[in-house]
Amino acid sequence: MKKFLFIFCFLFVFALSSKAQDNVSLPAQYQKMMEKILGNLPKVATSKANSLLDFAKSMIGVPYRYASSNPNRGFDCSGFVSYVFGNFGFKVPRSSPEFASTGVPVKLSEAKVGDVLIFTGTSHKSKRIGHVGIIYSIDDEGNIKFIHSTSGKANGVTITDFDNYYKGRFVKAVSIM
C-alpha cells in the first residue's frame, strides 16, 4: 500500500509540474513588449558602470584644482576621470589629450553610461583636446548628462547637460569598460 501511495504521489507531482511548464510561455503582445524593453538595454548602465558612477557622484562639490587628482585638494577634469576609473582597476591616462588614444572609440549615438566624452579646451580658436567627462545618464530621447570637474561656473565636480556649448566642443567618445 505504501508503495502504491508513493508512486501515486510521484505521478501526481510529475503531472502538475509538466502542466505548469505549459503555462510559462508569454502571450504574443507581452513577448513583443519584452523584446522592446530588452532592445533598449545597451543604454542601461551595467552594474560596474553604476558602481563607478555612484563613486563619481560621491565627489560632487569637490573643488576644481588645476593639475590635481587628489580628492582632498581638488581635481582637474582628467585628474577626476583618472581617479574614478583608477579606483575600479582601470589604467587610464592622467592628461585629457591622451584620452583620445585610449579605450575603444564609439559613435556618440552608441555611447553608453560610463563611457568617456572628450572635448576641446575652452578656447574657440584651438581644436586641441582639453577636457574630459564621464557619461552619467542617457534618457529615452538620447539626451546625455555627464559628470566632470570643471573650472567653470560650478568650479568643481558636477553633472552637466551635454548642451550646444559642449556639442560644439565635442571631439569623440570612448569606451573604457
Side-chain angles (χ1 to χ4, degrees), residues 26 30-44:
L26 294 172
Y30 294 118
Q31 287 179 348
K32 289 179 183 177
M33 188 185 319
M34 289 304 294
E35 287 172 7
K36 184 177 178 183
I37 291 170
L38 293 174
N40 289 329
L41 283 181
K43 293 187 177 182
V44 175

Side-chain angles (χ1 to χ4, degrees), residues 10-67:
F10 177 77
L11 290 175
F12 182 75
V13 169
F14 181 76
L16 283 178
S17 67
S18 67
K19 178 103 174 134
Q21 289 177 354
D22 291 340
N23 294 329
V24 170
S25 63
L26 294 172
Q29 68 184 34
Y30 294 118
Q31 287 179 348
K32 289 179 183 177
M33 188 185 319
M34 289 304 294
E35 287 172 7
K36 184 177 178 183
I37 291 170
L38 293 174
N40 289 329
L41 283 181
K43 293 187 177 182
V44 175
T46 63
S47 61
K48 190 154 200 152
N50 280 332
S51 298
L52 183 129
L53 290 167
D54 285 343
F55 180 71
K57 188 177 176 184
S58 73
M59 289 181 235
I60 289 178
V62 172
Y64 181 87
R65 181 158 185 156
Y66 179 75

